[in-house]
Amino acid sequence: MVVAQKKFLGDMNTNKKYAIMLYLSGGDGPKVKGFGALEHHESTSVVLPEGMPKDAIDNTITDVVSHEFFHTVNPLKTHSEEIHYFDYADPKMSQHLWMYEGGTEYFANLFQIQEGLINKDQFLERMGEKIANSKSYDDTMPFTVMSKNVLVEPYKDQYRNVYEKGALLAMCLDIELRKLSNGEMGYRDMIRKLSQRFGENKPFKDDKLIDELVTVTGYPQVKDFYNKYIAGNQPTPYAQYLSMVGVDIKKQESQPLFWFIKNPNETDFDQKTNAFTFDDHSALSPFAKSIGFKITDQVLALDGRTVDIKKVQDFIGYTRTIKDGQDVTVTILRDNAGKKEKMTLKGKAILDKMTMETLSFKANPTPEELKLQTQWLTGKK
Ligand SMILES: [Zn+2]
């Protein structure tokens, strides 16, 4: 992974040393509130659950550590004054999380396809998941405004979209640049030039970044893209951009389902409490919202049927029999200032549909689309 990253970055990478500190959190060790990693100039500290299978740990480390390592480029070495003179007591935020986090997350996926760690279909699947996940957030909230105000509501709630829509904005800008330059220049080249113009000890002015990007790329169209989709409130036309690189988006609607979150795949099981738990960035289903369910609540039982991991199919089977408008009783565990409290919530069932958008390579792309696709996925000119 590190060798592939160094190849991908070329002369943008100046690290002589980099340490990866991994803490696998088990049941008995210090209490861990969340999993993930934090970037530093020459190291990253990673926290993952010890109970994860080894393969899953390997894959997660590739995704998470590569993301943190790419932060050595952005924002650690290329950043605005807000980051350079960061005031920990009274933080002033930058407008550019789309680049610091989104661009970094895009790199963490792009280097894997360009360096052969994943295949073309796996890469598309990842981008498709980001499109699906981004739908849980406000698509018309300008990313620069969210970024600048991310410490307060309602912007705070949208933060995790930097890893979804943020990465997709970088992807579309990559395609836009390649289209404009006949494949010669991509997002990575733009960041490289920006990092050469600025660097670790020379921050840029936050509101001048877009003018700097026009200067380093030589394309004023970059500013139009920025004004519409990053600083503006227009949803990014993913289908239009993906079509330029020979990729189709197909929409499919799922059967109406009864569940607590919009995407049932983001459900987990807590072995200690014998309850279903949900990813904290998942969107609640209309039913869950209507009964005052919180994303951090755990589901112990439904209409008196307790959750048993050995008979999970029976439980799922029961949810399939639930009809729209039917009375439903949910037994939950709610965290109340560190104490888990058992509670009962009641309401009428609302069945919900999920729209799945699957990305696939066009069977018959035009020669122009195919050329751009190859340049996009290989990084070669
Ligand atoms: Zn990050």
Side-chain angles (χ1 to χ4, degrees):
M1 173 194 81
V2 175
V3 171
Q5 283 191 277
K6 283 187 78 82
K7 261 173 95 181
F8 176 87
L9 287 174
D11 62 5
M12 260 195 283
N13 170 240
T14 53
N15 278 73
K16 296 267 183 289
K17 253 197 219 172
Y18 196 80
I20 299 161
M21 291 173 280
L22 173 65
Y23 176 62
L24 290 175
S25 163
D28 306 323
K31 245 198 169 174
V32 161
K33 278 196 178 166
F35 299 106
L38 184 66
E39 79 273 19
H40 307 288
H41 280 95
E42 293 187 323
S43 67
T44 177
S45 33
V46 190
V47 181
L48 292 176
E50 193 178 46
M52 253 172 125
K54 189 177 172 299
D55 284 358
I57 289 184
D58 286 348
N59 288 333
T60 306
I61 287 179
T62 306
D63 291 338
V64 172
V65 176
S66 65
H67 174 107
E68 303 310 327
F69 185 69
F70 281 130
H71 274 314
T72 59
V73 175
N74 209 330
L76 291 171
K77 282 183 198 133
T78 318
H79 47 232
S80 71
E81 291 167 337
E82 282 77 357
I83 312 280
H84 197 72
Y85 306 108
F86 195 72
D87 183 348
Y88 288 85
D90 182 20
K92 306 279 181 300
M93 304 307 283
S94 160
Q95 300 174 58
H96 303 303
L97 276 173
W98 68 273
M99 180 176 77
Y100 306 139
E101 283 301 344
T104 297
E105 176 64 9
Y106 179 55
F107 271 0
N109 286 280
L110 189 67
F111 95 102
Q112 294 196 45
I113 172 69
Q114 290 196 356
E115 300 300 329
L117 270 56
I118 54 173
N119 66 34
K120 281 165 75 172
D121 294 321
Q122 287 168 318
F123 179 73
L124 272 202
E125 198 181 311
R126 283 161 174 247
M127 294 303 113
E129 274 170 23
K130 291 202 182 295
I131 294 178
N133 294 343
S134 73
K135 309 260 172 198
S136 313
Y137 303 94
D138 183 351
D139 208 15
T140 58
M141 181 186 284
F143 236 65
T144 48
V145 176
M146 185 266 276
S147 185
K148 186 85 200 152
N149 301 287
V150 73
L151 300 178
V152 295
E153 298 295 357
Y155 307 99
K156 201 175 168 180
D157 264 4
Q158 302 286 316
Y159 170 71
R160 289 202 67 90
N161 206 14
V162 299
Y163 305 109
E164 316 292 352
K165 186 176 176 177
L168 296 165
L169 285 169
M171 177 187 79
C172 292
L173 186 51
D174 192 17
I175 296 170
E176 171 87 24
L177 277 168
R178 291 208 178 271
K179 183 95 183 165
L180 288 168
S181 65
N182 198 19
E184 296 279 311
M185 186 192 287
Y187 184 84
R188 179 181 47 182
D189 306 290
M190 179 186 83
I191 293 297
R192 185 169 168 272
K193 288 182 178 188
L194 187 73
S195 69
Q196 286 168 344
R197 190 172 167 84
F198 294 92
E200 210 165 341
N201 301 311
K202 192 182 165 200
F204 54 79
K205 292 235 174 282
D206 211 56
D207 57 356
K208 292 283 181 289
L209 173 66
I210 185 55
D211 297 323
E212 297 296 348
L213 293 179
V214 169
T215 305
V216 297
T217 58
Y219 293 109
Q221 293 92 330
V222 170
K223 193 166 183 168
D224 300 334
F225 181 95
Y226 177 88
N227 285 341
K228 272 194 252 172
Y229 310 127
I230 302 177
N233 58 7
Q234 293 190 36
T236 326
Y238 302 123
Q240 188 188 314
Y241 278 101
L242 287 165
S243 181
M244 294 179 195
V245 288
V247 173
D248 270 337
I249 299 189
K250 283 188 192 76
K251 279 191 190 183
Q252 263 182 326
E253 248 183 19
S254 70
Q255 290 291 323
L257 281 179
F258 174 85
W259 200 241
F260 302 92
I261 51 174
K262 284 193 89 74
N263 181 356
N265 296 328
E266 293 170 346
T267 305
D268 230 321
F269 179 72
D270 184 334
Q271 291 181 340
K272 274 193 203 153
T273 53
N274 276 315
F276 285 124
T277 63
F278 307 96
D279 284 1
D280 60 3
H281 64 275
S282 302
L284 290 173
S285 69
F287 166 71
K289 278 188 188 162
S290 76
I291 58 167
F293 187 88
K294 293 182 181 172
I295 196 66
T296 48
D297 289 344
Q298 300 193 334
V299 173
L300 286 170
L302 182 63
D303 291 339
R305 287 163 177 82
T306 51
V307 177
D308 176 354
I309 196 67
K310 289 185 208 96
K311 292 181 192 153
V312 71
Q313 283 312 324
D314 294 355
F315 190 93
I316 304 294
Y318 174 68
T319 67
R320 298 278 155 81
T321 68
I322 293 173
K323 305 247 178 333
D324 235 354
Q326 182 177 326
D327 287 316
V328 180
T329 306
V330 187
T331 316
I332 61 156
L333 267 187
R334 178 166 290 175
D335 191 85
N336 205 338
K339 259 196 188 167
K340 294 234 185 277
E341 232 170 67
K342 203 167 163 175
M343 285 174 65
T344 306
L345 302 175
K346 284 181 188 194
K348 294 210 181 294
I350 304 169
L351 271 51
D352 190 31
K353 279 184 209 158
M354 187 168 70
T355 315
M356 288 297 296
E357 291 180 50
T358 43
L359 309 189
S360 58
F361 290 102
K362 289 182 192 175
N364 297 303
T366 66
E368 198 194 352
E369 288 168 355
L370 195 60
K371 182 175 168 240
L372 220 54
Q373 182 189 103
T374 308
Q375 287 164 326
W376 174 49
L377 298 178
T378 63
K380 302 213 167 75
K381 285 169 187 170

